[in-house]
Amino acid sequence: MRNDGLVYNKIVDCLSECKQLISASRWMMNTRMAIEDVDNRMREPMQLAIVGRISSSKSTLVNAILGKAEVVRTGHEAETFNVSWLKYGNDDAPIIVHFKNGRKQTVERNEWIEWASHKGQQSLKTEVKYIEVTSSYEMLRFINIIDTPGLDATSKVDSENTISFLKTVNPDAVILLFSKSLSEDTLKLINEFQNAENSISFSINPMNALGILSKVDMNWDVINDNDPVISSDKAIKRTLSSRSDVNKALFRILPVSALMGLSSFTISDDDKEAFEQLAMLDDKKITRLFISPEFFVKEYDFISLSKSRREGLVLKYGLYGVYVCVREIQKNVNVTLQELSCTLRIKSGFDSFIKLVVSHFGDRAQLLKAQRGIVQLLRAINKDRINVDSSEHLNIVNSIYSKVFSVEDDLHELKEWNLLLKIYENKIEVEDEFMQEFLRIVGESGHSAVCKLYVDENTDVSEMIDRAMERCEYWKTKYNVWYGLSPAKAENYAVIAKSYELLGLRLQEQKEKYDKALRAIRIYNHYIYGKDLL
């Protein structure tokens, strides 16, 4: 996620060369603006938008990601007042309100509720473009989060604000939230987002879009006591097995309880004491207590924990979240607060979600921005081509176009990306063997060499190198010796062969660095201690 990779350097170098060519060409305004925009975007954090319907736990999920209860406003109604753009910065810095007319206003944190809630500042709903909020959460250094009002919010203005802002900002990636169950509403939401009246210049595909089935803890019941994340995941897979339209739009749909994920960061010693009181009850009473939220907060003669305290626990953790903590304490009376927090993150599906966000988006942040930047630049250049009035101008346009196009041609990562996109969009047909291997080698199953090569994690690096080169030769042979092979299929084979070749070379490079480091360590230990130690 750092700006020091091959993709970043190639794009920045290209932009620098284009700036020199365009310096004397005042008329190429579209290209000039595109260069500046792409240059800024390549240097800025990736922009990830959270989109969903009203009360789909968007803001709760954002707060869970940041690990704090009220960074953005949450509630049972349509609490999100406007688009909230979360960036890295001081936790106590004032909120910056950006108006549609370009004006800005700072608002102190203690006034946040008035700005973020529908209960205050009603007249400003049509005037505010977005609200900028800073947080010291480390991930925001690399991935900004954009929290939006519901697309079907009670007020049409909120939905329009979301579409208008996303159209202007054009996010690098998106997370779509669905609540309760997957149905026709899933595709409807995708279509509403992608084919809005003011169409967003953003094409949802599995490389830039994830889905979240939120509030899965509400599918749990104490009688069956099934793990709601596991059972929801099975239901998702059954549904998606016959929904190629959704599969072409989203990389994966994960089951998550945002509420439990958030509570894992805000669990307190007082809460643990309350759980410990509940853990002293026998199974029969626990079953009776956890039948429903309504049963949980009733008055009972067998429980000393007050009704109001139990109501607070359900609001904070959800019924299933409270149950998970109580059962963990019953298993281990010495369980620590940190261990309870860890259990909540795992049981909520939140840990799996964060790992996927970082691996799927974080490792591809520069590639996402580069691919879209190149498209943006080529479109801008073609717009300026219309105004060409001399051979000198035409030469400049062609030179800039050639430089931008050559970056896409030189960067193998972008060739992988384009082929992957064609596969997901069913624009080409590939055999199953190729599909499975290509998805692995480009990182769709994980970005480590172990995942890409589909080998055991204990495999020696030398064996990995041999494996990579063996697969490289296999695919080279297929496109070299098959007579009559179509150019498109030959190119596909060439791409996957090159992917294996580059992985083998990078593994060899890392092995040499590792061996060199080991020699340095041995020399150090021999000099200091008089013997070899590792």
Side-chain angles (χ1 to χ4, degrees):
M1 291 189 288
R2 296 171 298 171
N3 291 342
D4 58 359
L6 176 64
V7 173
Y8 175 81
N9 292 334
K10 281 269 189 180
I11 295 293
V12 170
D13 289 346
C14 172
L15 293 175
S16 178
E17 292 173 3
C18 289
K19 285 179 183 178
Q20 292 178 12
L21 284 170
I22 208 174
S23 60
S25 305
R26 299 180 180 278
W27 58 276
M28 294 186 68
M29 291 306 299
N30 290 305
T31 304
R32 191 185 302 277
M33 291 171 61
I35 289 172
E36 290 300 322
D37 185 49
V38 174
D39 195 17
N40 290 333
R41 287 292 286 263
M42 290 302 297
R43 299 174 194 278
E44 292 174 350
M46 176 184 163
Q47 294 161 9
L48 174 64
I50 311 291
V51 180
R53 299 205 181 282
I54 184 174
S55 300
S56 58
S57 292
K58 296 185 304 298
S59 296
T60 303
L61 182 69
V62 172
N63 285 330
I65 292 171
L66 304 179
K68 295 178 182 178
E70 284 291 321
V71 179
V72 294
R73 180 72 174 158
T74 62
H76 295 290
E77 303 299 328
E79 290 282 7
T80 303
F81 167 71
N82 211 285
V83 175
S84 300
W85 194 335
L86 290 111
K87 302 181 178 182
Y88 182 80
N90 192 315
D91 290 318
D92 300 318
I95 293 163
I96 303 175
V97 182
H98 295 255
F99 292 85
K100 293 176 181 177
N101 63 6
R103 184 170 68 89
K104 297 180 185 179
Q105 181 176 340
T106 58
V107 180
E108 295 302 320
R109 292 287 174 120
N110 57 11
E111 297 176 28
W112 166 257
I113 293 176
E114 290 301 312
W115 284 91
S117 172
H118 282 269
K119 297 174 184 177
Q121 306 288 357
Q122 286 282 344
S123 64
L124 295 177
K125 290 172 62 178
T126 57
E127 300 173 23
V128 175
K129 184 177 182 181
Y130 70 96
I131 298 168
E132 183 178 333
V133 187
T134 56
S135 169
S136 60
Y137 182 59
E138 190 66 19
M139 191 175 83
L140 292 177
R141 287 182 182 270
F142 312 105
I143 301 177
N144 284 176
I145 298 174
I146 301 170
D147 181 36
T148 65
L151 282 183
D152 61 346
T154 305
S155 169
K156 187 180 179 182
V157 175
D158 287 337
S159 189
E160 290 174 348
N161 281 343
T162 296
I163 297 298
S164 175
F165 182 79
L166 294 176
K167 179 185 177 184
T168 303
V169 172
N170 211 359
D172 298 301
V174 64
I175 293 177
L176 290 177
L177 263 68
F178 316 107
S179 59
K180 297 181 181 178
S181 63
L182 292 175
S183 61
E184 289 302 317
D185 190 57
T186 302
L187 188 59
K188 186 180 177 183
L189 176 58
I190 293 171
N191 287 334
E192 282 182 22
F193 175 68
Q194 193 148 265
N195 303 312
E197 186 176 342
N198 296 318
S199 180
I200 302 168
S201 59
F202 181 88
S203 176
I204 292 178
N205 62 67
M207 278 90 85
N208 62 22
L210 293 177
I212 294 296
L213 179 61
S214 63
K215 301 185 179 182
V216 295
D217 56 298
M218 296 179 71
N219 298 326
W220 171 82
D221 71 88
V222 70
I223 304 300
N224 296 313
D225 194 18
N226 292 328
D227 187 314
V229 170
I230 294 175
S231 57
S232 296
D233 190 49
K234 291 178 180 177
I236 289 170
K237 289 175 180 175
R238 285 196 301 270
T239 302
L240 295 186
S241 64
S242 59
R243 295 301 301 267
S244 61
D245 44 10
V246 179
N247 290 324
K248 286 190 290 184
L250 304 174
F251 174 65
R252 193 173 299 166
I253 298 179
L254 290 182
V256 175
S257 168
L259 183 62
M260 285 174 63
L262 175 57
S263 64
S264 72
F265 293 100
T266 58
I267 188 171
S268 66
D269 288 319
D270 287 343
D271 294 340
K272 184 171 180 285
E273 288 180 11
F275 297 144
E276 288 170 343
Q277 289 186 47
L278 295 172
M280 290 188 287
L281 299 173
D282 59 42
D283 283 350
K284 186 176 180 180
K285 290 174 181 175
I286 283 181
T287 299
R288 181 181 175 186
L289 196 64
F290 284 90
I291 286 177
S292 70
E294 293 75 22
F295 270 73
F296 186 77
V297 299
K298 281 185 176 183
E299 296 286 2
Y300 298 101
D301 56 9
F302 59 80
I303 186 169
S304 59
L305 199 64
S306 70
K307 178 181 178 180
S308 62
R309 187 73 182 94
R310 281 177 277 142
E311 288 174 344
L313 291 176
V314 170
L315 285 174
K316 182 175 179 178
Y317 295 86
L319 190 65
Y320 179 61
V322 176
Y323 181 83
V324 165
C325 291
V326 170
R327 288 303 193 191
E328 280 299 301
I329 290 171
Q330 287 183 328
K331 291 177 188 176
N332 177 15
V333 295
N334 296 316
V335 66
T336 66
L337 206 64
Q338 185 176 2
E339 289 169 338
L340 282 178
S341 174
C342 182
T343 299
L344 282 169
R345 286 198 303 275
I346 293 171
K347 286 288 189 178
S348 66
F350 187 76
D351 255 8
S352 298
F353 162 68
I354 285 295
K355 288 175 182 175
L356 185 61
V357 168
V358 172
S359 65
H360 191 67
F361 292 142
D363 290 344
R364 281 181 166 153
Q366 294 301 339
L367 189 57
L368 274 164
K369 292 187 286 185
Q371 192 268 344
R372 298 185 65 206
I374 287 173
V375 172
Q376 182 180 346
L377 286 167
L378 294 177
R379 285 175 179 172
I381 295 166
N382 283 330
K383 282 184 179 180
D384 284 330
R385 190 186 296 276
I386 298 172
N387 298 319
V388 168
D389 58 3
S390 68
S391 59
E392 180 185 0
H393 284 172
L394 181 62
N395 289 336
I396 293 173
V397 169
N398 288 338
S399 295
I400 294 175
Y401 190 94
S402 177
K403 284 188 178 296
V404 174
F405 190 81
S406 67
V407 172
E408 186 172 27
D409 193 52
D410 290 344
L411 276 172
H412 183 71
E413 288 85 350
L414 287 175
K415 289 183 179 179
E416 289 179 334
W417 179 281
N418 290 330
L419 177 54
L420 189 59
L421 188 57
K422 289 177 183 176
I423 291 173
Y424 277 132
E425 293 180 343
N426 289 335
K427 291 183 177 178
I428 59 171
E429 291 185 9
V430 294
E431 61 267 37
D432 288 342
E433 178 194 22
F434 179 88
M435 170 83 82
Q436 292 174 10
E437 277 203 45
F438 185 69
L439 292 180
R440 280 201 300 267
I441 193 63
V442 297
E444 293 298 83
S445 299
H447 293 276
S448 69
V450 166
C451 292
K452 289 185 174 185
L453 292 171
Y454 199 50
V455 295
D456 185 85
E457 61 182 13
N458 296 317
T459 303
D460 183 76
V461 176
S462 295
E463 293 179 42
M464 291 188 197
I465 294 171
D466 291 341
R467 167 74 174 168
M469 301 318 291
E470 180 268 320
R471 297 314 297 166
C472 171
E473 290 304 316
Y474 172 81
W475 290 105
K476 276 186 177 180
T477 300
K478 291 198 81 166
Y479 78 76
N480 278 332
V481 302
W482 281 20
Y483 295 103
L485 193 65
S486 70
K489 183 171 284 189
E491 177 60 24
N492 295 344
Y493 291 168
V495 170
I496 193 172
K498 187 67 174 180
S499 297
Y500 277 115
E501 181 182 4
L502 289 175
L503 179 58
L505 292 173
R506 288 165 186 169
L507 282 171
Q508 182 63 46
E509 180 184 345
Q510 292 301 316
K511 183 179 183 302
E512 290 171 0
K513 289 181 179 179
Y514 179 75
D515 291 341
K516 184 178 180 180
L518 284 183
R519 286 195 296 271
I521 292 171
R522 288 193 177 98
I523 292 171
Y524 170 85
N525 285 325
H526 185 79
Y527 180 78
I528 300 295
Y529 302 106
K531 54 185 176 181
D532 289 341
L533 295 169
L534 287 179

